[in-house]
Amino acid sequence: MNAILKTEKLCKTFSNDGVQQHVIKNLDLEIMENDFTVIMGSSGSGKSTLLYALSGMDKPSVGKVFFDNEDITEYNNDQLAMFRRNHCGFVFQSIYLLENMNVLDNIMTGALVARKNSPELISKAKKLLMDVGIDEKLWKKYPNQLSGGECQRVGIVRAAINDPKILFADEPTGALDSKASKSLLESLEKMNQEMKSTILMVTHDAFSASYASRIIFIKDGRIFNE
């Protein structure tokens, strides 16, 4: 199995009123292709900061991030935007669906950003919606007409519509009740097992982590167990 993501001596430091806060500290990590990997840690452990560095949403202070053996820390902002558009999908705790668009239109915005528009993609969106338990009666509804769990599953489909090489999920169950969380996690698990999608999720929740094939524990910016 190949490593789709790899870090070398990754560090991330923030300055607050002249005080240096070292959030990620000399971290070496490999994320394997087709795995469902969870990075788990308490609030403030550095897990979300690490996710942003791995996905090209934020640049590390020191060290390197390799995607398919290419050093993305050398990319400029335009190259990073292209990298995210072409290779990554994102699911966040805040769902960011467009309130003035229905379910299908929200999903197709992801395809349009990647300059894709075809009847095949619409058919694919409908199949993915069915796969995550969003049936046809909901496709023309707007986000404010859906439950939080339904919106989050729509967000998963939007993230997956362009066949990203890796899907990043940042605390996707954080605002959901237990039933909605279970449904969401089963959708991610199905995407990983049936579509062979590489998934990297950060969470502080043990139940969410139980769906992963690999769990990495982070504390004070360092890996301390796996």
Side-chain angles (χ1 to χ4, degrees), residues 62-209:
V62 179
K64 296 182 180 296
V65 178
F66 296 91
F67 179 84
D68 275 350
N69 297 314
E70 189 164 342
D71 183 5
I72 68 170
T73 57
E74 297 293 327
Y75 288 180
N76 61 33
N77 288 336
D78 288 341
Q79 290 172 315
L80 284 171
M82 186 74 71
F83 158 72
R84 292 191 298 268
R85 189 181 78 181
N86 292 338
H87 300 300
C88 306
F90 295 93
V91 181
F92 300 102
Q93 182 175 339
S94 297
I95 304 161
Y96 302 119
L97 295 181
L98 299 173
E99 294 292 338
N100 62 341
M101 290 187 176
N102 65 34
V103 165
L104 268 177
D105 288 342
N106 258 289
I107 291 166
M108 294 312 295
T109 59
L112 290 172
V113 166
R115 299 176 184 175
K116 299 177 181 179
N117 189 12
S118 71
E120 289 79 12
L121 274 174
I122 295 174
S123 297
K124 178 182 176 181
K126 291 177 178 179
K127 180 184 183 304
L128 287 172
L129 284 166
M130 295 296 289
D131 286 345
V132 300
I134 303 294
D135 59 34
E136 188 172 358
K137 68 183 180 183
L138 299 178
W139 295 349
K140 295 296 183 182
K141 290 188 178 294
Y142 291 82
N144 63 3
Q145 297 173 300
L146 305 177
S147 70
E150 288 167 343
C151 284
Q152 195 65 292
R153 281 178 280 155
V154 172
I156 289 176
V157 175
R158 184 179 59 184
I161 191 66
N162 293 320
D163 295 320
K165 288 190 175 182
I166 185 166
L167 190 148
F168 296 94
D170 185 9
E171 297 278 9
T173 63
L176 303 179
D177 62 28
S178 59
K179 182 179 178 181
S181 294
K182 185 174 185 293
S183 182
L184 175 83
L185 292 162
E186 288 173 349
S187 297
L188 288 173
E189 184 180 50
K190 184 174 184 179
M191 189 176 298
N192 170 247
Q193 294 178 353
E194 296 185 8
M195 298 172 60
K196 304 302 181 185
S197 300
T198 304
I199 297 174
L200 179 59
M201 180 173 76
V202 301
T203 185
H204 66 276
D205 178 58
F207 176 74
S208 298

